[in-house]
Amino acid sequence: MARPEADQRVKLRKTNYKISIGRDVVTGIIVIFATLMFIGTGGTVITDAIASLSGRPRGGDNMLASAFLLNIALILFGWRRYKDLSTEIEERAVAEQRAHSLAATDPLTGLLNRRTIGEKTTDLIEEAQRKHKSIAFMMLDLDNFKTINDVHGHSAGDIVLKQVAARIANTVPANNLLARLGGDEFACAFIFDPEQPEMVERIADDLIDSIACPIVENGTHLVVTTSIGMSRYEPDTEDVDALMRHADLAMYSSKKQGRNRHCWFDEIMEKELHIRNSLETEMRAAIPKNEFVPYYEQQVDLATGKLTGFEMLCRWESKTQGLISPDVFIPIAEETGMIGDLSMSVLRQSFEDAKNWDPGLTISVNISPIQLLDPWLAQKIVKLLVETGFPANRLEIEITESSLFENLSLAQSIIGSLKNQGIKIALDDFGTGYSSLAHLRALPFDRIKIDRSFVTSILQNSESKAIVKAITGLGESLGMTITAEGVEDKETENELRNIGCAKGQGWYYGHPLSAVQTREILAGRNLLPANRVKAAAAEQTEANTSISAESRQQKTA
């Protein structure tokens, strides 16, 4: 690997050294010349000076005396210049060493930085090849480190980073390379026997255990975990950049699998990355083309069996890949920031669809946690309602418990603005969060939706049944209606009805339907006002025709 920056630094040091040597030589010549002159003139001038002081007149040479004094001045100047140059060289050496250290290491932890570990890993690979060994490269990313900074401040975050760096250094084998790549991301590389990859896995386990130990600072326990991606150098590995990229991909795979774990790089990860990038490109083109469309899942009154509304779900009707599940594209939309435009596009379509339905039918829409970080979310939704003419009192916004942790005060502001417009608010996936009761007290919810994980097991699991009963009782005491998600059979519906749940939704009432399929169902149940008008007009026409026929018969008779 070429290292032009390192070569340039070496050339600069050589140039500075030559300049310093040149200055020393010039100064030395001046001092030597002055010294010789001092020796040559000093004897005569000093003799005359002594004679003059003793009262014996001598014919002194004024020019010679001046030259003597000049020699002394030159000697003093040369010596002073020599001392200044020596001090300057020492200071420059210290500054150069410090600059080199800053360029090569992380100032907070003292570990190598991203550029330097790349250069040194090349040397480590060459050493490993001479020993017929391999290189393990680990990429470590701290989980939930942002919470430490947000809750305890950046000074606490710096303490955590220093402690983590020390723990990594104490865990990995000797003759290693350690680096902080930036933020909360670390890396390490070391030589290992390719026939014993389990050794690398043991080190990764030790790192996970070590980093997870609480860090006590001023009586506060600071806890972080780490996700680790591992790659190893193979003969066909392109270069160090590929080695680091593979470890990075493996690290993100560890995070997707649940965090606080390690994972080896696999070729399929790179293929998945290419697929994801391809999907991202297609998504950016698909949003303005309205390829993301609303599907509707029925919500039913459990007491009467009457259809009360729908939950709007997003689907991607791709021109090239067909119908794509939200589990595939929603994470990409959230990571890339497309979720806002995508959501507004689908909301507009659903409002246009639903405004022509029976006015008693409602629409429930789930809002992404990312969208709740947008302070203009409420205004954007209200703007869509105005533009489409859809009544605000027929809209219900669903918010998951997990989305409230990012910024509760902002969520309160958004929810308050929506409530002021007559929009209803539901707490979705209730029971799966961490502080449900606090959220119910802090935010003006109209409805609680019980997570499907409790509903689907209500007949087999007594604990699930007890939880559903408790949530239902809680909702009644707070004046909030309850909707149960995941109703898949008649027996579950009956049990929920007996417990006291108000509404239910799930595959028992039908799979999510497109806008066209939904209209067909509503038309069959006479829940399209336009159809009712047409039906009434047809009945009136038929009645008028019947009356006319009877009148003609009477006249004929």
Side-chain angles (χ1 to χ4, degrees), residues 17 21-22 68 82 105 132 165 173 212 261 286 301 326 329 435 446 488 513 553:
Y17 179 74
I21 290 295
F68 176 73
Y82 174 77
T105 61
H132 304 288
R261 63 192 64 209
D301 186 315
F329 63 81
S435 55
D446 300 287
E488 298 182 355
L513 305 172
Q553 289 177 358

mmCIF file of all heavy atoms in Angstrom, residues 17 21-22 68 82 105 132 165 173 212 261 286 301 326 329 435 446 488 513 553:
data_model
loop_
_atom_site.group_PDB
_atom_site.id
_atom_site.type_symbol
_atom_site.label_atom_id
_atom_site.label_comp_id
_atom_site.label_asym_id
_atom_site.label_seq_id
_atom_site.Cartn_x
_atom_site.Cartn_y
_atom_site.Cartn_z
ATOM 1 N N TYR A 17 16.066 19.175 8.858
ATOM 2 C CA TYR A 17 17.355 18.763 9.450
ATOM 3 C C TYR A 17 18.499 19.419 8.690
ATOM 4 O O TYR A 17 19.456 19.924 9.282
ATOM 5 C CB TYR A 17 17.466 17.240 9.410
ATOM 6 C CG TYR A 17 18.773 16.720 9.968
ATOM 7 C CD1 TYR A 17 19.019 16.732 11.347
ATOM 8 C CD2 TYR A 17 19.753 16.224 9.117
ATOM 9 C CE1 TYR A 17 20.212 16.254 11.857
ATOM 10 C CE2 TYR A 17 20.948 15.745 9.623
ATOM 11 C CZ TYR A 17 21.169 15.764 10.994
ATOM 12 O OH TYR A 17 22.352 15.297 11.491
ATOM 13 N N ILE A 21 21.262 21.993 10.118
ATOM 14 C CA ILE A 21 22.697 21.719 9.997
ATOM 15 C C ILE A 21 23.396 22.908 9.326
ATOM 16 O O ILE A 21 24.481 23.339 9.731
ATOM 17 C CB ILE A 21 22.931 20.430 9.190
ATOM 18 C CG1 ILE A 21 22.477 19.217 10.005
ATOM 19 C CG2 ILE A 21 24.399 20.284 8.812
ATOM 20 C CD1 ILE A 21 23.291 18.984 11.265
ATOM 21 N N GLY A 22 22.765 23.463 8.278
ATOM 22 C CA GLY A 22 23.360 24.602 7.581
ATOM 23 C C GLY A 22 23.537 25.793 8.496
ATOM 24 O O GLY A 22 24.586 26.473 8.485
ATOM 25 N N PHE A 68 39.551 44.029 18.216
ATOM 26 C CA PHE A 68 39.494 43.113 19.355
ATOM 27 C C PHE A 68 38.106 43.100 19.985
ATOM 28 O O PHE A 68 37.532 42.052 20.280
ATOM 29 C CB PHE A 68 40.553 43.529 20.378
ATOM 30 C CG PHE A 68 40.525 42.703 21.634
ATOM 31 C CD1 PHE A 68 40.979 41.388 21.628
ATOM 32 C CD2 PHE A 68 40.030 43.242 22.817
ATOM 33 C CE1 PHE A 68 40.946 40.642 22.787
ATOM 34 C CE2 PHE A 68 39.998 42.482 23.960
ATOM 35 C CZ PHE A 68 40.452 41.175 23.948
ATOM 36 N N TYR A 82 23.894 30.275 18.648
ATOM 37 C CA TYR A 82 23.987 28.815 18.774
ATOM 38 C C TYR A 82 22.982 28.298 19.806
ATOM 39 O O TYR A 82 22.286 27.302 19.574
ATOM 40 C CB TYR A 82 25.410 28.418 19.165
ATOM 41 C CG TYR A 82 25.557 26.952 19.457
ATOM 42 C CD1 TYR A 82 25.628 26.009 18.419
ATOM 43 C CD2 TYR A 82 25.612 26.494 20.779
ATOM 44 C CE1 TYR A 82 25.753 24.662 18.698
ATOM 45 C CE2 TYR A 82 25.723 25.146 21.060
ATOM 46 C CZ TYR A 82 25.798 24.225 20.014
ATOM 47 O OH TYR A 82 25.905 22.891 20.281
ATOM 48 N N THR A 105 -3.091 9.381 16.264
ATOM 49 C CA THR A 105 -3.857 8.808 17.366
ATOM 50 C C THR A 105 -5.104 9.626 17.666
ATOM 51 O O THR A 105 -5.240 10.768 17.242
ATOM 52 C CB THR A 105 -2.995 8.725 18.643
ATOM 53 O OG1 THR A 105 -2.586 10.055 19.011
ATOM 54 C CG2 THR A 105 -1.764 7.875 18.421
ATOM 55 N N HIS A 132 2.855 -17.563 8.621
ATOM 56 C CA HIS A 132 1.808 -18.483 8.137
ATOM 57 C C HIS A 132 0.569 -18.435 9.038
ATOM 58 O O HIS A 132 -0.042 -19.455 9.352
ATOM 59 C CB HIS A 132 2.341 -19.922 8.044
ATOM 60 C CG HIS A 132 3.563 -20.051 7.191
ATOM 61 N ND1 HIS A 132 3.514 -19.932 5.818
ATOM 62 C CD2 HIS A 132 4.875 -20.251 7.525
ATOM 63 C CE1 HIS A 132 4.736 -20.079 5.322
ATOM 64 N NE2 HIS A 132 5.580 -20.272 6.328
ATOM 65 N N ALA A 165 -11.973 1.927 26.023
ATOM 66 C CA ALA A 165 -10.673 1.770 25.367
ATOM 67 C C ALA A 165 -9.716 0.970 26.253
ATOM 68 O O ALA A 165 -8.999 0.083 25.764
ATOM 69 C CB ALA A 165 -10.084 3.143 25.056
ATOM 70 N N PRO A 173 -5.266 -9.860 22.648
ATOM 71 C CA PRO A 173 -3.895 -10.384 22.805
ATOM 72 C C PRO A 173 -2.841 -9.310 22.586
ATOM 73 O O PRO A 173 -3.118 -8.226 22.064
ATOM 74 C CB PRO A 173 -3.813 -11.465 21.712
ATOM 75 C CG PRO A 173 -5.208 -11.733 21.293
ATOM 76 C CD PRO A 173 -5.983 -10.491 21.536
ATOM 77 N N ALA A 212 -19.690 -4.619 29.098
ATOM 78 C CA ALA A 212 -21.029 -4.534 29.695
ATOM 79 C C ALA A 212 -20.990 -4.259 31.198
ATOM 80 O O ALA A 212 -22.022 -3.900 31.783
ATOM 81 C CB ALA A 212 -21.809 -5.816 29.417
ATOM 82 N N ARG A 261 -23.753 -8.629 20.881
ATOM 83 C CA ARG A 261 -23.317 -9.935 20.402
ATOM 84 C C ARG A 261 -22.272 -9.744 19.313
ATOM 85 O O ARG A 261 -21.994 -8.623 18.899
ATOM 86 C CB ARG A 261 -24.502 -10.737 19.861
ATOM 87 C CG ARG A 261 -25.183 -10.099 18.642
ATOM 88 C CD ARG A 261 -26.490 -10.779 18.366
ATOM 89 N NE ARG A 261 -27.426 -10.589 19.464
ATOM 90 C CZ ARG A 261 -28.381 -11.455 19.777
ATOM 91 N NH1 ARG A 261 -28.544 -12.550 19.063
ATOM 92 N NH2 ARG A 261 -29.203 -11.213 20.789
ATOM 93 N N ALA A 286 -39.988 5.503 -6.568
ATOM 94 C CA ALA A 286 -41.355 4.996 -6.428
ATOM 95 C C ALA A 286 -42.283 5.930 -5.665
ATOM 96 O O ALA A 286 -43.490 5.946 -5.906
ATOM 97 C CB ALA A 286 -41.320 3.627 -5.737
ATOM 98 N N ASP A 301 -66.685 -3.726 15.862
ATOM 99 C CA ASP A 301 -67.267 -3.613 17.202
ATOM 100 C C ASP A 301 -67.578 -5.029 17.686
ATOM 101 O O ASP A 301 -68.402 -5.738 17.091
ATOM 102 C CB ASP A 301 -68.539 -2.769 17.151
ATOM 103 C CG ASP A 301 -69.111 -2.483 18.528
ATOM 104 O OD1 ASP A 301 -69.185 -3.412 19.349
ATOM 105 O OD2 ASP A 301 -69.483 -1.325 18.776
ATOM 106 N N PRO A 326 -44.130 -4.209 4.161
ATOM 107 C CA PRO A 326 -43.525 -3.066 4.880
ATOM 108 C C PRO A 326 -42.330 -3.468 5.735
ATOM 109 O O PRO A 326 -41.491 -2.624 6.052
ATOM 110 C CB PRO A 326 -44.678 -2.523 5.727
ATOM 111 C CG PRO A 326 -45.664 -3.638 5.808
ATOM 112 C CD PRO A 326 -45.538 -4.402 4.540
ATOM 113 N N PHE A 329 -39.373 -2.502 3.432
ATOM 114 C CA PHE A 329 -39.051 -1.140 3.030
ATOM 115 C C PHE A 329 -39.157 -0.089 4.138
ATOM 116 O O PHE A 329 -38.531 0.965 4.045
ATOM 117 C CB PHE A 329 -39.910 -0.702 1.833
ATOM 118 C CG PHE A 329 -41.389 -0.642 2.087
ATOM 119 C CD1 PHE A 329 -41.962 0.441 2.721
ATOM 120 C CD2 PHE A 329 -42.213 -1.667 1.660
ATOM 121 C CE1 PHE A 329 -43.329 0.510 2.940
ATOM 122 C CE2 PHE A 329 -43.580 -1.616 1.868
ATOM 123 C CZ PHE A 329 -44.141 -0.522 2.506
ATOM 124 N N SER A 435 -42.709 2.003 30.313
ATOM 125 C CA SER A 435 -43.349 2.873 31.321
ATOM 126 C C SER A 435 -44.738 3.261 30.846
ATOM 127 O O SER A 435 -45.059 4.422 30.702
ATOM 128 C CB SER A 435 -42.496 4.119 31.563
ATOM 129 O OG SER A 435 -42.239 4.801 30.358
ATOM 130 N N ASP A 446 -56.956 8.515 23.559
ATOM 131 C CA ASP A 446 -58.380 8.173 23.483
ATOM 132 C C ASP A 446 -58.598 6.672 23.486
ATOM 133 O O ASP A 446 -59.687 6.195 23.835
ATOM 134 C CB ASP A 446 -58.987 8.761 22.195
ATOM 135 C CG ASP A 446 -58.869 10.267 22.142
ATOM 136 O OD1 ASP A 446 -59.602 10.940 22.889
ATOM 137 O OD2 ASP A 446 -58.037 10.785 21.365
ATOM 138 N N GLU A 488 -57.863 -13.916 15.410
ATOM 139 C CA GLU A 488 -57.716 -14.837 14.282
ATOM 140 C C GLU A 488 -58.762 -15.953 14.246
ATOM 141 O O GLU A 488 -58.779 -16.752 13.305
ATOM 142 C CB GLU A 488 -56.309 -15.448 14.298
ATOM 143 C CG GLU A 488 -55.207 -14.403 14.128
ATOM 144 C CD GLU A 488 -53.814 -15.005 14.101
ATOM 145 O OE1 GLU A 488 -53.703 -16.230 14.306
ATOM 146 O OE2 GLU A 488 -52.839 -14.264 13.873
ATOM 147 N N LEU A 513 -56.840 -5.195 2.687
ATOM 148 C CA LEU A 513 -57.376 -5.104 1.331
ATOM 149 C C LEU A 513 -56.925 -3.817 0.651
ATOM 150 O O LEU A 513 -56.706 -2.797 1.308
ATOM 151 C CB LEU A 513 -58.908 -5.139 1.374
ATOM 152 C CG LEU A 513 -59.550 -6.335 2.087
ATOM 153 C CD1 LEU A 513 -61.060 -6.118 2.212
ATOM 154 C CD2 LEU A 513 -59.267 -7.627 1.338
ATOM 155 N N GLN A 553 -103.516 1.541 -15.861
ATOM 156 C CA GLN A 553 -104.444 0.415 -15.790
ATOM 157 C C GLN A 553 -105.817 0.874 -15.302
ATOM 158 O O GLN A 553 -106.857 0.422 -15.791
ATOM 159 C CB GLN A 553 -103.877 -0.652 -14.837
ATOM 160 C CG GLN A 553 -102.665 -1.391 -15.420
ATOM 161 C CD GLN A 553 -102.086 -2.382 -14.426
ATOM 162 O OE1 GLN A 553 -102.569 -2.484 -13.300
ATOM 163 N NE2 GLN A 553 -101.052 -3.103 -14.851
#
